[in-house]
């Protein structure tokens, strides 16, 4: 099958594998892998794709491939990755695969220079090319731009962001210190906001949107950094293999001895906030030796340093210090930052123990006195005040006694630990805000024309234990995925439709329901969480139960016990919930959700740090101190919602993104082990699918990523053109430019209001337009020439049109005269034909009179009498001739008189015979008698022909009458069926919606399982049983096997139910039969019912297979494999045949033989022969409902002869009812006509060979030929 060409079939580990199609199933294909000959497996037809002729060919842009599908996309990314080409385009979108090592010369200064001003596609794919395109778009369109860098954690988003910033500042910077500051700000932000996780050694634990601002001359004038959602819980706790923020380890590893003593630093294992996670440093062999042994933890000394080519704690500390200096931080401010960081570390080492008194409070452990002193000293706090604030809570009474009374409430050990951690998170969070603020101060700007923003935010996250931070991060990624869908898929398609470009519609998964689940007012999870925070006795358990109760029937939310992982199934309903995200299902544990959603400190601690003796620490809390509300001052814990603050920031960010042009960089993680040159196909395929790249491929088959309105192009380039051209309207102006430049029509397309370009072509056009003056003069000459030619062509066209119209009028006048003449002739002929025929007969009779006279002249006796009788007969003939000429006589009247004359002539002849005795006269009379006999026979033949014509006319009249009656009956049936059809359409629409829902659920289940497999350490942790869908979903699947779905059976009428039930009842289940088995049964079976069922299933599979081929056809497909005229296939698509009932099957079993002929022009020949002068013909012989023989006759080509059995793949697979041939007037022909053409095209010999080789299927044609041969 497929002419022996390989296809891509799904593979659990590699994503796809090469194989061959060996059989067609009901909805599956049987595949034989190329690397495992002899073994086969079943694959869903929707997941099998044709492969390129050369599977090892690599292309820069996936849109250049012959087949655009997810398998060829994955293969191209794989081939490029194996050759260290980590970047790939899909139109204007860049796919970046993390190489996990430094690719030589990929980001050097020479590379930066080479990409400046170059269009996409002129050089190999690169992040620099996207950066340069964004800059040129901003410059040309006078519009701010955004680059959205997205991907999973560890996919390389942060590194690609740095490369974009470096390129823009290096290439288009003003050459001042500010360019360097923008680049150097990144190491500082990474030190305070990045950390090692299990999936990424340098994971950004906050989101940032870096704006680079440009002036009117498009030079860099400044920048601004917005940050989102720092992960504060990491400050106090990390998992075993993770670390806290880099700054803690870098300070411990790289600080000078002087700073180390000042800050009382030690090895990471001596601090509580570090020793519960990984305490090893990142270091190379050389830098590891430079770190003093006393600064290394036992774990580091035992196992060794962490290795990463981009990370080195000691070296990064020195680089960070250099970056601080470059962005304007002096030594004092730098020491202030380190002091607060060290203060947070020491704060975490403060321990508490119960007092043992009846008050139930706690106090600091004795061994923590030194730690308390260090912490208080570093943060500028009084030791005693700090001790009291950590162990007690101050309350101000407002009722039931003297107002304003201060009450100190002692805290339990757990409460004190929570207070200590809350203070540490608050201090570090405000320190990070200060770092971002100082970074923004180092590159200020007064005015800005436009900006380029680069968004780098944490990718989609999924762990065994997911908390509030992961929930917010994944909510953000849902919003960004929706933005991507809107900008690339939805808005693009709407624009194409408005502009009339005729690009095919592409379907994608809409995740709006998941976003509403999170952010909807009142019932959204974030609002439910805020309401929980406002309760007097807020609890995580109550919050989880409320979420489940508000969304108990929501598809996107379910309980933990339905997870694919056993570890989540142990959670109770009040301990978490599962959200089905666009990338897969994630189980969130709601423990500490309420605490993490509150960003407010208790008044005791807030007041303590706000009144610090250290100016730097005091300023960190100044803003929050000024905004405290009255409730907080009254001693109650205020509430500042982290979730809603993040939602507001996110919506503002998306508004900003929507107001700018967009470019996308999709970062891909090649493997989970974070090692180089290891390509996990299934993992990457999942990322490509979730990022929407497969949908983009479908859209970009006919897409135009770049566009510009006519008036903008006109305003942009009119300064280069003379006044003569600027007087043109913008559309004609653009058309003149494009034609003069000789641009390929495939590279651009004119819409209603703008012109659209293929990838990279707009920049080439812009480069041509802004080239040197000599070239511009040459271009101007071309434009003038094109305009002159265009005007002359219009004049020519108008003249030719007028001449053509005049000739047409003359031709029509002559044609009318000819029609009139012909009609008049026909009418006269019809009117006078009986008289003319009569005259001809009478004249032939008169000719015989001369011979009568000759006989009379030789008579000896009775000569006068005979002469008189002859004269009377001649007079009667003359009289009849005169009568026919002068009067209107019917054919019967003429024939009566003519017969009388004949009778008289015969009587006269007999009397003359009696009187003529001589032999010579007898012979002459005999000769006359023979001629008379001939005349009689001719008259009989004429009479037979006339009767035959009358019979033919009568049969045609009866056929026409019958056709009209059938047409009337059909109209009546159509009216009756309309009522049923309306109900059926409603039912089918409901079933289609149900099918879409089921497909969405199945796809979501697949993504959920893939995500669970990535989380699971082994297969044993996965839930292996099938059918983990909700009960409601399972019921839908159960009913999907029935002809009528139970959910909507009540909504339809009894007639529709009866129709569908009759169609759905099948005696034979052939879904498990192989394609070859069906063919064998058709060729050999004598069971008529089984034969009919096999034929139906055989052709159904053919239709499904050909639909698969059509969907996955080549981009340059010319329709050379078209199996039937387009009118037939279009009819079948627009009028799907209803399921065959028992009555239809009975008719089909009668095996009527019907023959058809219709015009056929192949798509490839339409352009060669636009006038259809070389029209071909398509012949078909249907044996019952299915085609048995097929012919194609085209001028200048050999005839194509096909027979069923041998040529099933090349023949029409539709049933006779589906083709609509029986409704085409004049399409049906006589068997004799078909057989004549069949014999002329050597069809008999072809069928004979097929029978001898046992390739022909038993049909009426084969039976007739075999009997003829016998």
């Amino acid at each position: 099958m497929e002419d022996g060409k390989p296809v891509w079939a799904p593979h659990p580990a590699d994503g796809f594998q090469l194989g061959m199609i060996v059989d067609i199933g009901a909805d599956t294909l049987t595949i034989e892998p190329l690397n495992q000959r002899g073994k086969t497996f079943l694959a869903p037809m929707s997941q099998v794709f044709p492969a390129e002729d050369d599977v090892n060919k690599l292309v820069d842009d996936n849109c250049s491939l012959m087949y655009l599908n997810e398998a060829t996309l994955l293969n191209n990314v794989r081939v490029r990755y194996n050759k260290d080409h980590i970047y790939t385009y899909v139109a204007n979108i860049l796919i970046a695969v993390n190489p996990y090592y430094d690719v030589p010369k990929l980001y050097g200064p020479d590379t930066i220079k080479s990409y400046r001003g170059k269009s996409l596609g002129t050089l190999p794919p690169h992040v620099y090319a996207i950066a340069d395109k964004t800059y040129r778009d901003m410059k040309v369109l006078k519009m701010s731009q955004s680059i959205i860098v997205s991907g999973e954690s560890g996919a390389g988003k942060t590194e690609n962001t740095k490369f974009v910033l470096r390129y823009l500042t290096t290439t288009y910077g003003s050459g001042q210190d500010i360019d360097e500051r923008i680049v150097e700000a990144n190491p500082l932000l990474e030190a305070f906001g990045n950390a090692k996780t299990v999936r990424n050694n340098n994971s950004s634990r906050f989101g940032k949107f870096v704006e680079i601002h440009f002036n009117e001359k498009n030079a860099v004038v400044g920048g601004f950094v917005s940050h989102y959602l720092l992960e504060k819980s990491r400050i106090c706790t990390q998992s075993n293999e993770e670390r806290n923020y880099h700054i803690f380890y870098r300070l411990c590893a790289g600080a000078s001895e002087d700073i180390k003593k000042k800050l009382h630093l030690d090895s990471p294992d001596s601090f509580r906030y570090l020793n519960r996670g990984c305490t090893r440093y990142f270091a190379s062999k050389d830098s590891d030796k430079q770190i003093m042994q006393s600064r290394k933890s036992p774990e580091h000394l035992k196992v060794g340093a962490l290795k990463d080519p981009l990370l080195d704690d000691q070296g990064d500390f020195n680089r960070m210090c250099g970056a601080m200096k470059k962005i304007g931080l002096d030594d004092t401010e730098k020491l202030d930052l380190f002091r607060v960081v060290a203060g947070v570390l020491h704060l975490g080492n403060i321990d508490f123990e119960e007092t043992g008194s009846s008050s139930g409070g706690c106090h600091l452990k004795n061994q923590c006195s030194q730690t308390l002193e260090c912490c208080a000293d570093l943060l500028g706090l009084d030791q005693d005040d700090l001790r009291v604030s950590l162990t007690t809570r101050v309350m101000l009474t407002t009722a039931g006694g003297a107002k304003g009374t201060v009450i100190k409430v002692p805290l339990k050990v757990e409460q004190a630990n929570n207070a200590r951690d809350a203070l540490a998170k608050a201090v570090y969070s405000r320190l990070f805000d200060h770092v971002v603020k100082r970074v923004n101060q180092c590159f200020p700007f007064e005015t800005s024309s436009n900006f380029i923003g680069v968004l780098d935010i944490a990718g989609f996250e999924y762990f065994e234990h997911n908390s509030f931070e992961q929930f917010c991060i994944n909510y953000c990624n849902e919003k960004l995925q929706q933005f991507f869908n809107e900008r690339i898929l939805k808005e693009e398609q709407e624009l194409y439709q408005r502009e009339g470009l005729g690009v095919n519609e592409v379907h994608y998964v809409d995740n709006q329901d998941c976003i509403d689940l999170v952010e909807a007012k009142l019932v959204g999870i974030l609002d439910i969480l805020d309401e929980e925070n406002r309760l007097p006795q807020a609890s995580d358990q109550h919050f989880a139960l409320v979420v489940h109760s508000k969304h108990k029937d929501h598809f996107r939310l379910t309980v933990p016990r339905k997870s694919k992982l056993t570890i989540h199934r142990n959670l109770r309903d009040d301990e978490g919930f599962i959200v089905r995200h666009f990338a897969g299902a994630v189980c969130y544990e709601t423990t500490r959700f309420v605490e993490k959603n509150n960003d407010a400190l208790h008044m005791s601690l807030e007041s303590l740090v706000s009144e610090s003796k250290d100016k730097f620490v005091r300023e960190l809390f100044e803003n929050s101190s000024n905004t405290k509300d009255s409730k907080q001052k009254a001693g109650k814990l205020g509430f500042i919602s982290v979730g809603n603050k993040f939602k507001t920031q996110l919506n503002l960010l998306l508004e900003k993104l929507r107001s700018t042009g967009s470019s996308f960089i999709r970062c891909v993680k090649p493997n989970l082990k974070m090692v180089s040159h290891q390509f996990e196909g299934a993992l990457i395929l999942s990322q490509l699918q979730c990022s929407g790249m497969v949908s983009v491929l479908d859209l970009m088959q006919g897409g135009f990523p770049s566009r510009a309105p006519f008036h903008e192009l006109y305003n942009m380039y009119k300064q280069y053109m003379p006044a003569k051209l600027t007087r043109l309207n913008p559309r004609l102006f653009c058309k003149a430019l494009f034609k003069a430049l000789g641009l390929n029509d495939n590279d651009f397309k004119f819409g209603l209001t703008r012109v659209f370009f293929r990838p990279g072509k707009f920049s080439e056009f812009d480069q041509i337009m802004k080239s040197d003056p000599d070239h511009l003069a040459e271009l101007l000459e071309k434009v003038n020439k094109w305009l002159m030619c265009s005007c002359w062509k219009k004049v020519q066209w108008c003249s030719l049109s007028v001449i053509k119209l005049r000739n047409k009028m003359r031709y029509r006048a002559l044609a009318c005269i000819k029609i009139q003449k012909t009609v008049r002739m026909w009418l006269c002929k019809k009117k006078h034909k009986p008289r003319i025929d009569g005259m001809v007969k009478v004249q032939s009779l008169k000719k015989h009179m001369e011979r009568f006279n000759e006989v009379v002249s030789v008579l000896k006796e009775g000569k006068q009498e005979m002469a008189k009788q002859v004269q009377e007969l001649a007079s009667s003939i003359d009289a009849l001739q005169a009568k026919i000429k002068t009067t209107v006589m019917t054919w019967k009247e003429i024939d009566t008189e003519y017969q009388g004359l004949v009778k008289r002539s015969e009587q006269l002849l007999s009397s003359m015979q009696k009187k003529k005795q001589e032999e010579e006269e007898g012979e002459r009379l005999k000769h006359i008698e023979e001629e008379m006999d001939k005349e009689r026979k001719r008259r009989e033949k004429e009479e037979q022909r006339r009767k035959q014509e009358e019979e033919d006319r009568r049969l045609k009249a009866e056929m026409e009458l019958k056709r009209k009656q059938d047409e009337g009956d059909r109209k009546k049936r159509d009216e009756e069926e309309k009522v049923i059809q309306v109900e059926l359409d409603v039912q089918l629409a409901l079933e289609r919606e149900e099918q879409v829902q089921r497909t969405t659920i199945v796809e979501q289940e697949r993504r959920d399982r893939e995500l669970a497999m990535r989380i699971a350490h082994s297969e044993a942790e996965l839930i292996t049983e099938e059918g983990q869908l909700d009960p409601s979903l399972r019921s839908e699947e159960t009913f999907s096997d029935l002809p009528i779905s139970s959910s909507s059976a009540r909504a339809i009428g009894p007639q529709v139910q009866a129709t569908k039930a009759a169609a759905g009842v099948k005696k034979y289940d052939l879904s498990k039969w192989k394609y070859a088995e069906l063919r064998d049964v058709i060729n050999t079976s004598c069971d008529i019912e089984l034969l009919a069922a096999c034929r139906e299933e055989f052709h159904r599979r053919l239709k499904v297979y050909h639909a698969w081929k059509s969907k996955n056809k080549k981009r340059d497909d010319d329709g050379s494999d078209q199996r039937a005229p387009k009118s037939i296939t279009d009819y079948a698509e627009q009028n799907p045949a209803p399921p065959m009932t028992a009555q239809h099957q009975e008719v089909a079993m009668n095996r009527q033989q019907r023959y058809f002929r219709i015009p056929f022009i192949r798509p490839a020949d339409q352009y060669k022969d636009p006038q259809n002068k070389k029209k071909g013909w398509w012949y078909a012989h249907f044996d019952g409902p299915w085609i048995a023989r097929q012919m194609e006759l085209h001028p200048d080509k050999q005839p194509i002869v096909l027979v069923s059995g041998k040529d099933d793949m090349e023949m029409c697979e539709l049933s006779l009812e589906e083709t609509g041939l029986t409704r085409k007037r004049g399409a049906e022909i006589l068997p004799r006509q078909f057989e004549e053409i069949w014999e002329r095209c050597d069809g008999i010999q072809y069928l004979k060979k097929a029978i001898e080789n046992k390739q022909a299927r038993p049909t009426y044609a084969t039976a007739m030929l075999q009997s003829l041969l016998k």
Side-chain angles (χ1 to χ4, degrees), residues 421-599:
D421 293 344
L423 178 59
K425 287 187 278 191
V427 171
Y428 191 85
S429 174
R430 283 161 176 77
L431 177 66
F432 185 76
D433 293 343
H434 174 78
V435 170
V436 175
K437 178 182 174 185
R438 287 294 289 116
V439 164
N440 286 328
Q441 288 173 355
C442 79
F443 32 72
F445 56 92
E446 294 180 0
T447 58
S448 166
S449 296
N450 290 300
F451 69 85
I452 294 177
V454 185
L455 178 64
D456 172 22
I457 203 160
F460 187 79
E461 289 194 343
Y462 48 93
F463 304 104
E464 284 188 0
H465 304 283
N466 303 283
S467 189
F468 182 69
E469 291 80 12
Q470 282 70 44
F471 178 77
C472 291
I473 288 169
N474 292 342
Y475 160 57
C476 170
N477 278 273
E478 286 281 359
K479 296 278 282 188
L480 291 175
Q481 182 66 26
Q482 185 189 48
F483 173 72
F484 175 82
N485 289 342
E486 288 177 356
R487 182 57 58 94
I488 296 296
L489 301 175
K490 185 178 178 182
E491 290 182 8
E492 282 285 296
Q493 291 183 91
E494 288 176 353
L495 179 62
Y496 292 163
Q497 193 172 7
R498 286 199 306 270
E499 294 288 333
L501 299 191
V503 177
N504 293 332
E505 185 178 356
V506 175
H507 299 281
Y508 58 91
V509 178
D510 188 2
N511 61 341
Q512 182 61 49
D513 56 342
C514 187
I515 293 171
D516 291 339
L517 173 68
V518 177
E519 68 175 16
K521 287 187 176 180
L522 302 178
V523 295
I525 294 176
L526 289 177
D527 275 15
I528 294 173
L529 183 58
D530 288 350
E531 284 300 315
E532 187 67 31
N533 274 99
R534 294 188 183 98
L535 295 176
Q537 297 293 326
S539 73
D540 299 316
Q541 292 79 11
H542 182 257
F543 159 67
L545 291 174
V546 173
V547 168
H548 287 304
S549 65
K550 290 281 181 72
H551 302 285
K552 59 183 178 181
D553 296 325
H554 202 293
F555 165 65
R556 294 281 184 176
L557 187 131
T558 187
V559 292
R561 64 175 178 272
K562 292 186 179 179
S563 172
K564 302 287 184 187
L565 287 169
T566 53
I567 190 170
H568 295 151
R569 291 199 149 208
N570 297 327
L571 295 175
R572 299 194 307 271
D573 289 359
D574 62 355
E575 292 180 335
F577 53 82
I578 292 176
V579 176
R580 291 189 174 104
H581 292 285
F582 71 95
V586 178
C587 182
Y588 298 102
E589 298 175 14
T590 52
T591 306
R592 301 181 67 193
F593 254 59
V594 173
E595 174 194 335
K596 291 177 180 180
N597 190 46
N598 190 356
D599 206 26

Side-chain angles (χ1 to χ4, degrees), residues 819-872:
I819 290 169
Q820 290 173 351
K821 179 184 71 173
T822 306
V823 170
R824 285 171 181 166
M825 179 199 72
W826 183 82
L827 290 172
C828 288
K829 195 173 179 181
K830 183 181 179 182
K831 180 178 179 182
H832 300 293
K833 193 172 189 307
R835 296 165 65 196
I836 293 170
D837 291 344
M839 284 292 292
V840 171
K841 292 179 189 178
V842 174
Q843 284 175 355
S844 65
L845 186 61
K846 189 175 181 180
K847 288 179 183 178
H848 296 300
M849 297 308 298
E850 295 177 1
R851 302 181 73 179
F852 278 115
N853 289 328
E854 290 177 4
V855 174
V856 171
S857 65
V858 297
L859 289 175
K860 296 177 179 179
E861 294 182 2
K863 186 174 182 180
Q864 291 182 352
E865 185 181 352
M866 287 295 173
K868 186 179 178 182
Q869 290 181 7
V870 170
Q871 187 62 36
E872 288 176 357

Side-chain angles (χ1 to χ4, degrees), residues 95-222:
I95 297 175
V97 184
N98 194 340
Y100 287 120
Y101 85 107
D102 192 8
V103 181
K105 299 181 181 179
L106 189 59
Y107 304 105
D110 294 337
T111 308
I112 291 178
K113 290 178 183 177
S114 66
Y115 278 88
R116 177 166 184 165
K118 296 293 191 303
S119 301
L120 284 183
T122 55
L123 288 175
H126 204 290
V127 67
Y128 292 162
I130 294 294
D132 195 81
K133 171 196 172 293
T134 306
Y135 175 81
R136 285 182 284 108
D137 286 349
M138 178 195 72
K139 186 178 176 181
V140 170
L141 303 175
K142 307 295 182 187
M143 179 183 181
S144 295
Q145 300 291 315
S146 298
I147 300 176
I148 292 90
V149 187
S150 60
E152 291 190 3
S153 180
K157 298 185 300 299
T158 302
E159 292 302 313
N160 280 292
T161 299
K162 289 191 286 190
F163 292 135
V164 169
L165 297 176
R166 181 188 301 168
Y167 179 85
L168 292 173
T169 54
T170 303
T171 310
Y172 301 108
S174 55
Q176 300 175 0
D177 183 44
I178 196 165
D179 304 335
E180 191 176 1
R181 289 185 179 185
I182 293 174
V183 175
E184 292 297 336
N186 250 318
L188 185 58
L189 293 174
E190 284 185 23
F192 283 86
N194 286 27
K196 178 194 181 305
T197 66
V198 292
R199 292 196 173 91
N200 186 3
N201 289 335
N202 191 29
S203 177
S204 298
R205 307 317 298 165
F206 71 105
K208 63 177 181 290
F209 186 63
V210 183
E211 300 171 20
I212 300 180
H213 288 261
F214 297 82
N215 58 19
E216 293 178 355
K217 297 180 180 179
N218 299 309
V220 177
V221 294

Side-chain angles (χ1 to χ4, degrees), residues 835-852 873-874 877-878 880-881 884 894-895 898-899 901-902 905 927-928 931-936 938-939:
R835 296 165 65 196
I836 293 170
D837 291 344
M839 284 292 292
V840 171
K841 292 179 189 178
V842 174
Q843 284 175 355
S844 65
L845 186 61
K846 189 175 181 180
K847 288 179 183 178
H848 296 300
M849 297 308 298
E850 295 177 1
R851 302 181 73 179
F852 278 115
L873 180 61
I877 292 172
D878 292 339
L880 180 59
Q881 283 183 324
I884 290 172
I894 294 171
D895 190 60
Y898 173 73
Q899 294 296 337
L901 290 174
V902 171
S905 65
H927 183 65
I928 292 172
E931 288 186 354
M932 293 292 289
D933 189 52
K934 286 182 181 178
E935 178 64 20
R936 181 179 55 77
R938 190 187 66 77
R939 287 199 309 271

Side-chain angles (χ1 to χ4, degrees), residues 53 78 119 182 238 247 272 331 395 526 547 556 675 822 882 910 987 1041 1046 1178 1228:
D53 294 335
R78 177 193 287 114
S119 301
I182 293 174
Q238 313 90 38
I247 183 62
R272 180 198 303 273
D331 291 341
M395 292 187 65
L526 289 177
V547 168
R556 294 281 184 176
V675 295
T822 306
S910 63
Q987 169 62 11
D1041 295 330
S1046 65
W1178 185 80
E1228 190 164 7

Side-chain angles (χ1 to χ4, degrees), residues 244-439:
N244 208 323
Y245 291 103
H246 292 325
I247 183 62
F248 296 113
Y249 305 90
R250 292 176 182 177
L251 190 60
C252 292
S256 64
E257 285 297 319
D258 183 38
I259 293 177
K260 179 174 177 290
K261 288 180 181 178
K262 266 186 191 177
L263 304 182
H264 310 288
L265 295 175
D266 206 340
S267 62
D269 61 290
S270 59
F271 297 104
R272 180 198 303 273
Y273 287 165
L274 305 182
N275 60 24
R276 284 182 285 184
C278 176
T279 57
R280 298 153 64 194
Y281 295 123
F282 279 104
S284 62
K285 286 184 179 180
D286 296 334
S287 60
D288 192 25
K289 295 176 183 177
Q290 295 174 12
I291 301 173
M292 297 177 62
Q293 296 294 315
S294 60
R295 299 192 180 194
K296 298 177 181 177
S297 67
E299 183 187 7
H300 185 109
L301 293 170
K302 181 180 178 182
V303 183
L306 295 167
K307 303 293 181 184
D308 192 288
L310 302 176
L311 296 175
D312 184 338
D313 285 330
Q314 188 185 44
D316 289 340
F317 178 80
N318 296 328
R319 281 189 285 275
M320 180 187 66
C321 291
M324 287 179 174
K325 187 175 182 181
K326 287 178 181 177
I327 67 172
L329 271 66
D330 56 24
D331 291 341
T332 305
E333 192 167 0
K334 181 170 68 174
L335 191 60
D336 286 341
L337 292 174
F338 294 159
R339 188 159 41 77
V340 174
V341 170
V344 170
L345 285 178
H346 288 293
L347 182 61
N349 282 355
I350 298 176
D351 282 330
F352 306 95
E353 61 183 2
E354 294 181 1
T355 58
S357 62
S358 58
S359 61
C362 67
H363 61 260
L364 270 67
K365 290 183 178 179
N366 295 330
Q367 58 266 36
C368 293
S369 301
Q370 184 66 32
T371 302
L372 180 69
E373 182 182 347
C374 293
C375 179
D377 179 51
L378 292 171
L379 298 178
L381 306 175
D382 183 80
Q383 286 188 48
D384 296 333
D385 290 345
L386 179 58
R387 178 186 288 107
V388 170
S389 297
L390 290 175
T391 55
T392 60
R393 177 161 56 93
V394 175
M395 292 187 65
L396 298 176
T397 58
T398 56
K403 290 188 178 181
T405 305
V406 177
I407 302 174
K408 287 188 177 181
V409 179
L411 300 176
K412 297 178 181 178
V413 172
E414 183 182 356
Q415 293 173 326
N417 286 332
N418 291 339
R420 175 200 65 209
D421 293 344
L423 178 59
K425 287 187 278 191
V427 171
Y428 191 85
S429 174
R430 283 161 176 77
L431 177 66
F432 185 76
D433 293 343
H434 174 78
V435 170
V436 175
K437 178 182 174 185
R438 287 294 289 116
V439 164

